[in-house]
Amino acid sequence: MLSPTSLEIIEKINRYSANNYHPLPVVLTKSAGTRVWDVEGREYIDMLSAYSALNFGHNHPRLVEALNRQAKLMCVTSRAFNTDIFAEFVEHLARFCFLDKVLPMNSGAEAVETAIKIARKWGYTVKGVKRNKAEIIVCDNNFHGRTTTIVGFSSTPQYRDDFGPYASRAFKTIPFGDAEALERAITKNTAAFLVEPIQGEGGINVPPEDYLNKACSICREHNILFVADEIQTGLGRTGNKFCFWHQCLSPDLLIVGKALGGGLLPISAVVGKKEVMDVIKPGDHGSTFGGNPLACAVAVETLKILEEEPLIENAAKLGKYFMGELKMMNGCQQLIKEVRGMGLLIGLELAVEGGRKFCEKILERRVLCKETKENVIRFAPPLTITKEEIDLALEAIDCVLTHW
Ligand SMILES: *Cc1c(COP(=O)(O)O)cnc(C)c1O
């Protein structure tokens, strides 16, 4: 039940905020670690982690400390000047990814746009694609962000329809998980294949085990760039530094965002091989806030935390436990179509309509999560979560399904 205070706040939001989200009926005001509190003081376990932006939990002390330290020193300069912390950030991120060069942006969608620009310019200036003919291959059910270019190749009607016109023939869509389809779709004009190693918004879709490897070799064979969008799957989420790390491959361009800002602020980047990144020349691309000292300081600390604290191991271990328990959930099997995922990126597909209903019901049991694709519930808690907390969440999930 919403209190008068919560209702008043929600009314204000409905009145003054554009209606582009449909939030769950809760008003949050405070957070720490894996927990958040509403304005009535009720405590919740956060099993969404801001769509994986909060891999380190809320207000991680080391990150808050790094933010405060840098805020007192210097926050924004623009890239018109060099800064010491920017140097530290690009070196650290490039080495962390085992790649050569970094181009920083702010949001995930901006980084995807950046990768598209790099891939196209590489297509024209290195591969020799005829000017304005470059094609990029993407997957059905993809999610790469919300800019006009990106929604133009979304297969989700609501994300795409009414926002055209779009550049036709610039993107080609193939089924996700089908390496042969990739091979068939390649033409002399293909510059890149852009793919999420696991589709997040698309419903936590895990491709066949050898898919990424096959796709990557096909790209090599045909001289096209393999571009991995690890904005949601990267930085420990799937129980490895990056999801593609589970395979033996190295993308030409890697896109990171979300958790890179430690859950404190937005920062994203394209990280890539030198010979590809070097197609970008001064003036080709940029962003006023991209690579700002404040964000760089936080991002450096996020990388250090991933290297020093056992979060990635925790994601692998507890992810396996969580998924195993969900698969064995007694008495609820007629309501569960499938449980899938990797590490702490887990999707529970309901056999019935009602993803939203599930999230509202589990909210009453003090667990926060959000559906994707109508009837897939995504569980993506902070990587700092404990087994005891997962057990609490499992109990709530069990209750909701038992009382469905
Ligand atoms: C969230 C997401 C994006 C977009 O990031 P924003 O910061 O919301 O622009 C792009 N790709 C993937 C895989 C994502 O999960």
PDB file of all heavy atoms in Angstrom, residues 173-210:
ATOM      1  N   THR A 173      19.736  -7.255 -40.277  1.00  0.00           N
ATOM      2  CA  THR A 173      19.429  -8.023 -39.072  1.00  0.00           C
ATOM      3  C   THR A 173      19.419  -9.516 -39.353  1.00  0.00           C
ATOM      4  O   THR A 173      18.821  -9.959 -40.330  1.00  0.00           O
ATOM      5  CB  THR A 173      18.052  -7.593 -38.527  1.00  0.00           C
ATOM      6  OG1 THR A 173      18.075  -6.175 -38.343  1.00  0.00           O
ATOM      7  CG2 THR A 173      17.761  -8.254 -37.192  1.00  0.00           C
ATOM      8  N   ILE A 174      20.089 -10.282 -38.486  1.00  0.00           N
ATOM      9  CA  ILE A 174      20.110 -11.741 -38.609  1.00  0.00           C
ATOM     10  C   ILE A 174      19.667 -12.351 -37.278  1.00  0.00           C
ATOM     11  O   ILE A 174      19.699 -11.668 -36.253  1.00  0.00           O
ATOM     12  CB  ILE A 174      21.523 -12.261 -38.982  1.00  0.00           C
ATOM     13  CG1 ILE A 174      22.548 -11.821 -37.911  1.00  0.00           C
ATOM     14  CG2 ILE A 174      21.943 -11.781 -40.360  1.00  0.00           C
ATOM     15  CD1 ILE A 174      23.896 -12.505 -38.033  1.00  0.00           C
ATOM     16  N   PRO A 175      19.276 -13.624 -37.265  1.00  0.00           N
ATOM     17  CA  PRO A 175      18.885 -14.239 -35.989  1.00  0.00           C
ATOM     18  C   PRO A 175      20.081 -14.311 -35.034  1.00  0.00           C
ATOM     19  O   PRO A 175      21.215 -14.509 -35.484  1.00  0.00           O
ATOM     20  CB  PRO A 175      18.441 -15.650 -36.389  1.00  0.00           C
ATOM     21  CG  PRO A 175      18.244 -15.618 -37.862  1.00  0.00           C
ATOM     22  CD  PRO A 175      19.113 -14.544 -38.409  1.00  0.00           C
ATOM     23  N   PHE A 176      19.815 -14.150 -33.759  1.00  0.00           N
ATOM     24  CA  PHE A 176      20.861 -14.231 -32.737  1.00  0.00           C
ATOM     25  C   PHE A 176      21.223 -15.693 -32.494  1.00  0.00           C
ATOM     26  O   PHE A 176      20.341 -16.551 -32.416  1.00  0.00           O
ATOM     27  CB  PHE A 176      20.345 -13.585 -31.448  1.00  0.00           C
ATOM     28  CG  PHE A 176      21.328 -13.591 -30.298  1.00  0.00           C
ATOM     29  CD1 PHE A 176      22.538 -12.922 -30.394  1.00  0.00           C
ATOM     30  CD2 PHE A 176      21.029 -14.253 -29.109  1.00  0.00           C
ATOM     31  CE1 PHE A 176      23.438 -12.908 -29.336  1.00  0.00           C
ATOM     32  CE2 PHE A 176      21.922 -14.248 -28.048  1.00  0.00           C
ATOM     33  CZ  PHE A 176      23.133 -13.573 -28.158  1.00  0.00           C
ATOM     34  N   GLY A 177      22.508 -15.976 -32.384  1.00  0.00           N
ATOM     35  CA  GLY A 177      22.926 -17.340 -32.060  1.00  0.00           C
ATOM     36  C   GLY A 177      23.151 -18.227 -33.267  1.00  0.00           C
ATOM     37  O   GLY A 177      23.440 -19.402 -33.122  1.00  0.00           O
ATOM     38  N   ASP A 178      23.029 -17.671 -34.471  1.00  0.00           N
ATOM     39  CA  ASP A 178      23.127 -18.459 -35.689  1.00  0.00           C
ATOM     40  C   ASP A 178      24.329 -17.978 -36.509  1.00  0.00           C
ATOM     41  O   ASP A 178      24.252 -16.993 -37.246  1.00  0.00           O
ATOM     42  CB  ASP A 178      21.815 -18.301 -36.475  1.00  0.00           C
ATOM     43  CG  ASP A 178      21.794 -19.115 -37.763  1.00  0.00           C
ATOM     44  OD1 ASP A 178      22.858 -19.617 -38.174  1.00  0.00           O
ATOM     45  OD2 ASP A 178      20.703 -19.225 -38.358  1.00  0.00           O
ATOM     46  N   ALA A 179      25.453 -18.668 -36.356  1.00  0.00           N
ATOM     47  CA  ALA A 179      26.690 -18.229 -37.010  1.00  0.00           C
ATOM     48  C   ALA A 179      26.597 -18.360 -38.528  1.00  0.00           C
ATOM     49  O   ALA A 179      27.154 -17.540 -39.261  1.00  0.00           O
ATOM     50  CB  ALA A 179      27.880 -19.024 -36.475  1.00  0.00           C
ATOM     51  N   GLU A 180      25.878 -19.390 -39.008  1.00  0.00           N
ATOM     52  CA  GLU A 180      25.746 -19.551 -40.463  1.00  0.00           C
ATOM     53  C   GLU A 180      25.003 -18.357 -41.074  1.00  0.00           C
ATOM     54  O   GLU A 180      25.335 -17.905 -42.161  1.00  0.00           O
ATOM     55  CB  GLU A 180      25.001 -20.851 -40.818  1.00  0.00           C
ATOM     56  CG  GLU A 180      25.861 -22.105 -40.719  1.00  0.00           C
ATOM     57  CD  GLU A 180      26.122 -22.536 -39.278  1.00  0.00           C
ATOM     58  OE1 GLU A 180      25.157 -22.543 -38.485  1.00  0.00           O
ATOM     59  OE2 GLU A 180      27.285 -22.846 -38.935  1.00  0.00           O
ATOM     60  N   ALA A 181      24.015 -17.856 -40.329  1.00  0.00           N
ATOM     61  CA  ALA A 181      23.272 -16.691 -40.827  1.00  0.00           C
ATOM     62  C   ALA A 181      24.197 -15.492 -40.978  1.00  0.00           C
ATOM     63  O   ALA A 181      24.045 -14.686 -41.900  1.00  0.00           O
ATOM     64  CB  ALA A 181      22.115 -16.355 -39.888  1.00  0.00           C
ATOM     65  N   LEU A 182      25.167 -15.397 -40.079  1.00  0.00           N
ATOM     66  CA  LEU A 182      26.133 -14.295 -40.183  1.00  0.00           C
ATOM     67  C   LEU A 182      26.925 -14.439 -41.476  1.00  0.00           C
ATOM     68  O   LEU A 182      27.071 -13.488 -42.246  1.00  0.00           O
ATOM     69  CB  LEU A 182      27.074 -14.297 -38.964  1.00  0.00           C
ATOM     70  CG  LEU A 182      28.264 -13.344 -39.046  1.00  0.00           C
ATOM     71  CD1 LEU A 182      27.797 -11.892 -39.114  1.00  0.00           C
ATOM     72  CD2 LEU A 182      29.199 -13.537 -37.846  1.00  0.00           C
ATOM     73  N   GLU A 183      27.413 -15.635 -41.710  1.00  0.00           N
ATOM     74  CA  GLU A 183      28.225 -15.866 -42.903  1.00  0.00           C
ATOM     75  C   GLU A 183      27.435 -15.519 -44.166  1.00  0.00           C
ATOM     76  O   GLU A 183      27.947 -14.872 -45.074  1.00  0.00           O
ATOM     77  CB  GLU A 183      28.699 -17.321 -42.931  1.00  0.00           C
ATOM     78  CG  GLU A 183      29.680 -17.602 -44.060  1.00  0.00           C
ATOM     79  CD  GLU A 183      30.830 -18.499 -43.620  1.00  0.00           C
ATOM     80  OE1 GLU A 183      30.551 -19.476 -42.892  1.00  0.00           O
ATOM     81  OE2 GLU A 183      31.984 -18.227 -43.996  1.00  0.00           O
ATOM     82  N   ARG A 184      26.164 -15.930 -44.178  1.00  0.00           N
ATOM     83  CA  ARG A 184      25.330 -15.653 -45.360  1.00  0.00           C
ATOM     84  C   ARG A 184      25.053 -14.173 -45.559  1.00  0.00           C
ATOM     85  O   ARG A 184      24.865 -13.712 -46.676  1.00  0.00           O
ATOM     86  CB  ARG A 184      23.983 -16.378 -45.218  1.00  0.00           C
ATOM     87  CG  ARG A 184      24.033 -17.865 -45.568  1.00  0.00           C
ATOM     88  CD  ARG A 184      22.620 -18.411 -45.778  1.00  0.00           C
ATOM     89  NE  ARG A 184      21.759 -18.239 -44.616  1.00  0.00           N
ATOM     90  CZ  ARG A 184      21.700 -19.087 -43.588  1.00  0.00           C
ATOM     91  NH1 ARG A 184      22.447 -20.175 -43.589  1.00  0.00           N
ATOM     92  NH2 ARG A 184      20.908 -18.857 -42.566  1.00  0.00           N
ATOM     93  N   ALA A 185      25.028 -13.414 -44.460  1.00  0.00           N
ATOM     94  CA  ALA A 185      24.621 -12.004 -44.553  1.00  0.00           C
ATOM     95  C   ALA A 185      25.762 -11.086 -44.997  1.00  0.00           C
ATOM     96  O   ALA A 185      25.536  -9.941 -45.387  1.00  0.00           O
ATOM     97  CB  ALA A 185      24.078 -11.537 -43.198  1.00  0.00           C
ATOM     98  N   ILE A 186      26.973 -11.602 -44.959  1.00  0.00           N
ATOM     99  CA  ILE A 186      28.134 -10.759 -45.274  1.00  0.00           C
ATOM    100  C   ILE A 186      28.215 -10.465 -46.778  1.00  0.00           C
ATOM    101  O   ILE A 186      28.039 -11.354 -47.599  1.00  0.00           O
ATOM    102  CB  ILE A 186      29.434 -11.448 -44.786  1.00  0.00           C
ATOM    103  CG1 ILE A 186      29.443 -11.502 -43.250  1.00  0.00           C
ATOM    104  CG2 ILE A 186      30.670 -10.717 -45.300  1.00  0.00           C
ATOM    105  CD1 ILE A 186      30.558 -12.333 -42.658  1.00  0.00           C
ATOM    106  N   THR A 187      28.445  -9.198 -47.095  1.00  0.00           N
ATOM    107  CA  THR A 187      28.680  -8.813 -48.500  1.00  0.00           C
ATOM    108  C   THR A 187      30.004  -8.042 -48.553  1.00  0.00           C
ATOM    109  O   THR A 187      30.632  -7.830 -47.516  1.00  0.00           O
ATOM    110  CB  THR A 187      27.572  -7.872 -49.027  1.00  0.00           C
ATOM    111  OG1 THR A 187      27.719  -6.597 -48.380  1.00  0.00           O
ATOM    112  CG2 THR A 187      26.180  -8.415 -48.755  1.00  0.00           C
ATOM    113  N   LYS A 188      30.364  -7.599 -49.738  1.00  0.00           N
ATOM    114  CA  LYS A 188      31.617  -6.844 -49.855  1.00  0.00           C
ATOM    115  C   LYS A 188      31.522  -5.500 -49.126  1.00  0.00           C
ATOM    116  O   LYS A 188      32.544  -4.877 -48.823  1.00  0.00           O
ATOM    117  CB  LYS A 188      32.004  -6.651 -51.321  1.00  0.00           C
ATOM    118  CG  LYS A 188      30.999  -5.811 -52.135  1.00  0.00           C
ATOM    119  CD  LYS A 188      31.470  -5.676 -53.571  1.00  0.00           C
ATOM    120  CE  LYS A 188      30.732  -4.619 -54.388  1.00  0.00           C
ATOM    121  NZ  LYS A 188      29.280  -4.536 -54.259  1.00  0.00           N
ATOM    122  N   ASN A 189      30.301  -5.076 -48.833  1.00  0.00           N
ATOM    123  CA  ASN A 189      30.129  -3.794 -48.148  1.00  0.00           C
ATOM    124  C   ASN A 189      30.060  -3.918 -46.622  1.00  0.00           C
ATOM    125  O   ASN A 189      29.925  -2.914 -45.927  1.00  0.00           O
ATOM    126  CB  ASN A 189      28.843  -3.122 -48.634  1.00  0.00           C
ATOM    127  CG  ASN A 189      28.941  -2.708 -50.089  1.00  0.00           C
ATOM    128  OD1 ASN A 189      30.037  -2.405 -50.581  1.00  0.00           O
ATOM    129  ND2 ASN A 189      27.822  -2.715 -50.795  1.00  0.00           N
ATOM    130  N   THR A 190      30.108  -5.127 -46.106  1.00  0.00           N
ATOM    131  CA  THR A 190      29.977  -5.293 -44.662  1.00  0.00           C
ATOM    132  C   THR A 190      31.227  -4.792 -43.950  1.00  0.00           C
ATOM    133  O   THR A 190      32.346  -5.193 -44.272  1.00  0.00           O
ATOM    134  CB  THR A 190      29.746  -6.780 -44.299  1.00  0.00           C
ATOM    135  OG1 THR A 190      28.666  -7.282 -45.081  1.00  0.00           O
ATOM    136  CG2 THR A 190      29.405  -6.914 -42.819  1.00  0.00           C
ATOM    137  N   ALA A 191      31.005  -3.914 -42.967  1.00  0.00           N
ATOM    138  CA  ALA A 191      32.141  -3.379 -42.195  1.00  0.00           C
ATOM    139  C   ALA A 191      32.268  -4.077 -40.852  1.00  0.00           C
ATOM    140  O   ALA A 191      33.379  -4.255 -40.350  1.00  0.00           O
ATOM    141  CB  ALA A 191      31.965  -1.877 -41.994  1.00  0.00           C
ATOM    142  N   ALA A 192      31.130  -4.449 -40.247  1.00  0.00           N
ATOM    143  CA  ALA A 192      31.216  -4.966 -38.876  1.00  0.00           C
ATOM    144  C   ALA A 192      30.013  -5.820 -38.515  1.00  0.00           C
ATOM    145  O   ALA A 192      28.951  -5.736 -39.143  1.00  0.00           O
ATOM    146  CB  ALA A 192      31.312  -3.802 -37.894  1.00  0.00           C
ATOM    147  N   PHE A 193      30.221  -6.649 -37.513  1.00  0.00           N
ATOM    148  CA  PHE A 193      29.142  -7.395 -36.875  1.00  0.00           C
ATOM    149  C   PHE A 193      29.076  -6.908 -35.429  1.00  0.00           C
ATOM    150  O   PHE A 193      30.057  -6.990 -34.690  1.00  0.00           O
ATOM    151  CB  PHE A 193      29.436  -8.897 -36.934  1.00  0.00           C
ATOM    152  CG  PHE A 193      28.447  -9.753 -36.187  1.00  0.00           C
ATOM    153  CD1 PHE A 193      27.080  -9.592 -36.362  1.00  0.00           C
ATOM    154  CD2 PHE A 193      28.887 -10.731 -35.304  1.00  0.00           C
ATOM    155  CE1 PHE A 193      26.166 -10.391 -35.671  1.00  0.00           C
ATOM    156  CE2 PHE A 193      27.984 -11.537 -34.616  1.00  0.00           C
ATOM    157  CZ  PHE A 193      26.613 -11.356 -34.799  1.00  0.00           C
ATOM    158  N   LEU A 194      27.919  -6.363 -35.059  1.00  0.00           N
ATOM    159  CA  LEU A 194      27.729  -5.805 -33.714  1.00  0.00           C
ATOM    160  C   LEU A 194      26.823  -6.741 -32.921  1.00  0.00           C
ATOM    161  O   LEU A 194      25.708  -7.040 -33.343  1.00  0.00           O
ATOM    162  CB  LEU A 194      27.073  -4.417 -33.825  1.00  0.00           C
ATOM    163  CG  LEU A 194      26.515  -3.766 -32.560  1.00  0.00           C
ATOM    164  CD1 LEU A 194      27.624  -3.487 -31.548  1.00  0.00           C
ATOM    165  CD2 LEU A 194      25.786  -2.462 -32.915  1.00  0.00           C
ATOM    166  N   VAL A 195      27.305  -7.214 -31.758  1.00  0.00           N
ATOM    167  CA  VAL A 195      26.536  -8.232 -31.049  1.00  0.00           C
ATOM    168  C   VAL A 195      26.708  -8.125 -29.532  1.00  0.00           C
ATOM    169  O   VAL A 195      27.769  -7.716 -29.045  1.00  0.00           O
ATOM    170  CB  VAL A 195      26.951  -9.646 -31.555  1.00  0.00           C
ATOM    171  CG1 VAL A 195      28.384  -9.995 -31.160  1.00  0.00           C
ATOM    172  CG2 VAL A 195      25.993 -10.722 -31.070  1.00  0.00           C
ATOM    173  N   GLU A 196      25.656  -8.463 -28.798  1.00  0.00           N
ATOM    174  CA  GLU A 196      25.749  -8.617 -27.344  1.00  0.00           C
ATOM    175  C   GLU A 196      26.089 -10.086 -27.075  1.00  0.00           C
ATOM    176  O   GLU A 196      25.396 -10.963 -27.592  1.00  0.00           O
ATOM    177  CB  GLU A 196      24.398  -8.317 -26.676  1.00  0.00           C
ATOM    178  CG  GLU A 196      23.842  -6.929 -26.906  1.00  0.00           C
ATOM    179  CD  GLU A 196      22.320  -6.914 -26.728  1.00  0.00           C
ATOM    180  OE1 GLU A 196      21.852  -6.785 -25.580  1.00  0.00           O
ATOM    181  OE2 GLU A 196      21.602  -7.024 -27.739  1.00  0.00           O
ATOM    182  N   PRO A 197      27.078 -10.376 -26.249  1.00  0.00           N
ATOM    183  CA  PRO A 197      27.416 -11.780 -25.967  1.00  0.00           C
ATOM    184  C   PRO A 197      26.264 -12.544 -25.321  1.00  0.00           C
ATOM    185  O   PRO A 197      26.082 -13.740 -25.568  1.00  0.00           O
ATOM    186  CB  PRO A 197      28.596 -11.682 -25.018  1.00  0.00           C
ATOM    187  CG  PRO A 197      29.190 -10.346 -25.293  1.00  0.00           C
ATOM    188  CD  PRO A 197      28.037  -9.452 -25.647  1.00  0.00           C
ATOM    189  N   ILE A 198      25.494 -11.861 -24.485  1.00  0.00           N
ATOM    190  CA  ILE A 198      24.203 -12.372 -24.016  1.00  0.00           C
ATOM    191  C   ILE A 198      23.245 -11.207 -24.201  1.00  0.00           C
ATOM    192  O   ILE A 198      23.564 -10.088 -23.809  1.00  0.00           O
ATOM    193  CB  ILE A 198      24.245 -12.774 -22.526  1.00  0.00           C
ATOM    194  CG1 ILE A 198      25.130 -13.998 -22.308  1.00  0.00           C
ATOM    195  CG2 ILE A 198      22.830 -13.052 -21.983  1.00  0.00           C
ATOM    196  CD1 ILE A 198      25.295 -14.395 -20.852  1.00  0.00           C
ATOM    197  N   GLN A 199      22.098 -11.456 -24.820  1.00  0.00           N
ATOM    198  CA  GLN A 199      21.159 -10.343 -24.986  1.00  0.00           C
ATOM    199  C   GLN A 199      20.473 -10.049 -23.661  1.00  0.00           C
ATOM    200  O   GLN A 199      19.787 -10.906 -23.105  1.00  0.00           O
ATOM    201  CB  GLN A 199      20.125 -10.692 -26.062  1.00  0.00           C
ATOM    202  CG  GLN A 199      20.736 -10.768 -27.451  1.00  0.00           C
ATOM    203  CD  GLN A 199      19.702 -10.964 -28.529  1.00  0.00           C
ATOM    204  OE1 GLN A 199      18.698 -11.666 -28.323  1.00  0.00           O
ATOM    205  NE2 GLN A 199      19.923 -10.359 -29.684  1.00  0.00           N
ATOM    206  N   GLY A 200      20.667  -8.838 -23.163  1.00  0.00           N
ATOM    207  CA  GLY A 200      20.100  -8.453 -21.868  1.00  0.00           C
ATOM    208  C   GLY A 200      18.645  -8.049 -21.970  1.00  0.00           C
ATOM    209  O   GLY A 200      17.736  -8.809 -21.591  1.00  0.00           O
ATOM    210  N   GLU A 201      18.389  -6.876 -22.548  1.00  0.00           N
ATOM    211  CA  GLU A 201      17.018  -6.395 -22.677  1.00  0.00           C
ATOM    212  C   GLU A 201      16.173  -7.353 -23.514  1.00  0.00           C
ATOM    213  O   GLU A 201      14.971  -7.447 -23.330  1.00  0.00           O
ATOM    214  CB  GLU A 201      16.979  -5.008 -23.339  1.00  0.00           C
ATOM    215  CG  GLU A 201      17.762  -3.933 -22.619  1.00  0.00           C
ATOM    216  CD  GLU A 201      17.353  -3.811 -21.179  1.00  0.00           C
ATOM    217  OE1 GLU A 201      16.177  -3.582 -20.898  1.00  0.00           O
ATOM    218  OE2 GLU A 201      18.259  -3.980 -20.331  1.00  0.00           O
ATOM    219  N   GLY A 202      16.824  -8.042 -24.435  1.00  0.00           N
ATOM    220  CA  GLY A 202      16.112  -8.965 -25.330  1.00  0.00           C
ATOM    221  C   GLY A 202      15.556 -10.188 -24.616  1.00  0.00           C
ATOM    222  O   GLY A 202      14.896 -11.017 -25.224  1.00  0.00           O
ATOM    223  N   GLY A 203      15.863 -10.330 -23.307  1.00  0.00           N
ATOM    224  CA  GLY A 203      15.273 -11.435 -22.546  1.00  0.00           C
ATOM    225  C   GLY A 203      16.296 -12.370 -21.922  1.00  0.00           C
ATOM    226  O   GLY A 203      15.989 -13.525 -21.648  1.00  0.00           O
ATOM    227  N   ILE A 204      17.507 -11.894 -21.678  1.00  0.00           N
ATOM    228  CA  ILE A 204      18.599 -12.737 -21.141  1.00  0.00           C
ATOM    229  C   ILE A 204      18.743 -13.973 -22.028  1.00  0.00           C
ATOM    230  O   ILE A 204      18.569 -15.109 -21.593  1.00  0.00           O
ATOM    231  CB  ILE A 204      18.372 -13.156 -19.653  1.00  0.00           C
ATOM    232  CG1 ILE A 204      17.745 -12.029 -18.831  1.00  0.00           C
ATOM    233  CG2 ILE A 204      19.677 -13.641 -19.011  1.00  0.00           C
ATOM    234  CD1 ILE A 204      18.573 -10.794 -18.652  1.00  0.00           C
ATOM    235  N   ASN A 205      19.043 -13.730 -23.285  1.00  0.00           N
ATOM    236  CA  ASN A 205      19.190 -14.822 -24.253  1.00  0.00           C
ATOM    237  C   ASN A 205      20.651 -15.235 -24.350  1.00  0.00           C
ATOM    238  O   ASN A 205      21.496 -14.426 -24.713  1.00  0.00           O
ATOM    239  CB  ASN A 205      18.679 -14.383 -25.625  1.00  0.00           C
ATOM    240  CG  ASN A 205      17.224 -13.934 -25.553  1.00  0.00           C
ATOM    241  OD1 ASN A 205      16.424 -14.514 -24.817  1.00  0.00           O
ATOM    242  ND2 ASN A 205      16.882 -12.885 -26.276  1.00  0.00           N
ATOM    243  N   VAL A 206      20.905 -16.485 -23.995  1.00  0.00           N
ATOM    244  CA  VAL A 206      22.267 -17.010 -24.018  1.00  0.00           C
ATOM    245  C   VAL A 206      22.442 -17.796 -25.312  1.00  0.00           C
ATOM    246  O   VAL A 206      21.691 -18.729 -25.573  1.00  0.00           O
ATOM    247  CB  VAL A 206      22.508 -17.942 -22.807  1.00  0.00           C
ATOM    248  CG1 VAL A 206      23.948 -18.412 -22.750  1.00  0.00           C
ATOM    249  CG2 VAL A 206      22.132 -17.224 -21.507  1.00  0.00           C
ATOM    250  N   PRO A 207      23.417 -17.423 -26.126  1.00  0.00           N
ATOM    251  CA  PRO A 207      23.588 -18.126 -27.411  1.00  0.00           C
ATOM    252  C   PRO A 207      24.247 -19.487 -27.208  1.00  0.00           C
ATOM    253  O   PRO A 207      24.772 -19.761 -26.130  1.00  0.00           O
ATOM    254  CB  PRO A 207      24.512 -17.193 -28.192  1.00  0.00           C
ATOM    255  CG  PRO A 207      25.327 -16.518 -27.145  1.00  0.00           C
ATOM    256  CD  PRO A 207      24.427 -16.374 -25.938  1.00  0.00           C
ATOM    257  N   PRO A 208      24.242 -20.347 -28.242  1.00  0.00           N
ATOM    258  CA  PRO A 208      24.952 -21.627 -28.155  1.00  0.00           C
ATOM    259  C   PRO A 208      26.417 -21.400 -27.775  1.00  0.00           C
ATOM    260  O   PRO A 208      26.997 -20.365 -28.108  1.00  0.00           O
ATOM    261  CB  PRO A 208      24.854 -22.190 -29.584  1.00  0.00           C
ATOM    262  CG  PRO A 208      23.712 -21.486 -30.205  1.00  0.00           C
ATOM    263  CD  PRO A 208      23.580 -20.162 -29.533  1.00  0.00           C
ATOM    264  N   GLU A 209      27.002 -22.385 -27.124  1.00  0.00           N
ATOM    265  CA  GLU A 209      28.320 -22.226 -26.507  1.00  0.00           C
ATOM    266  C   GLU A 209      29.416 -21.757 -27.469  1.00  0.00           C
ATOM    267  O   GLU A 209      30.248 -20.941 -27.103  1.00  0.00           O
ATOM    268  CB  GLU A 209      28.718 -23.554 -25.860  1.00  0.00           C
ATOM    269  CG  GLU A 209      29.889 -23.395 -24.923  1.00  0.00           C
ATOM    270  CD  GLU A 209      29.768 -24.301 -23.700  1.00  0.00           C
ATOM    271  OE1 GLU A 209      28.658 -24.774 -23.386  1.00  0.00           O
ATOM    272  OE2 GLU A 209      30.797 -24.523 -23.100  1.00  0.00           O
ATOM    273  N   ASP A 210      29.401 -22.289 -28.687  1.00  0.00           N
ATOM    274  CA  ASP A 210      30.500 -21.957 -29.603  1.00  0.00           C
ATOM    275  C   ASP A 210      30.175 -20.767 -30.517  1.00  0.00           C
ATOM    276  O   ASP A 210      30.939 -20.438 -31.415  1.00  0.00           O
ATOM    277  CB  ASP A 210      30.823 -23.190 -30.456  1.00  0.00           C
ATOM    278  CG  ASP A 210      29.588 -23.679 -31.214  1.00  0.00           C
ATOM    279  OD1 ASP A 210      28.475 -23.178 -30.926  1.00  0.00           O
ATOM    280  OD2 ASP A 210      29.719 -24.554 -32.087  1.00  0.00           O
TER     281      ASP A 210
END
